[in-house]
């Protein structure tokens, strides 16, 4: 792996910190199982979970059916 500093003049500590982050990310990506990304969604993050609910219908007392805390 070759890393080139294109702009600036980092100190040895700054360069070491940047390299540590890059190496840690590379190691984590290599250790991750191949099916880790793009898997099924959790139920709580699925937009279809709330899409099926009906919204309050407009009318004279529709403000009483809003979601404001009591």
């Amino acid at each position: 792996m070759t890393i080139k500093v294109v702009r600036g003049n980092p100190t040895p500590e700054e360069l070491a910190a940047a390299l540590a982050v890059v190496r840690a990310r590379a190691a984590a990506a290599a250790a991750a199982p191949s099916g880790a990304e793009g898997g099924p969604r959790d139920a709580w993050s699925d937009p279809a979970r709330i899409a099926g609910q009906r919204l309050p219908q407009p009318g004279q007392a529709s403000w009483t059916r809003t979601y404001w805390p009591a």
Side-chain angles (χ1 to χ4, degrees), residues 14-41:
E14 291 172 336
L15 192 56
L19 288 175
V21 170
V22 170
R23 291 188 67 182
R25 292 287 305 253
S34 61
E37 293 183 25
R41 288 186 182 204

Side-chain angles (χ1 to χ4, degrees), residues 1-49:
M1 176 183 345
T2 302
I3 296 179
K4 180 180 177 183
V5 177
V6 179
R7 186 191 279 174
N9 190 13
T11 64
E13 292 83 14
E14 291 172 336
L15 192 56
L19 288 175
V21 170
V22 170
R23 291 188 67 182
R25 292 287 305 253
S34 61
E37 293 183 25
R41 288 186 182 204
D42 292 333
W44 67 268
S45 65
D46 188 11
R49 177 178 60 90

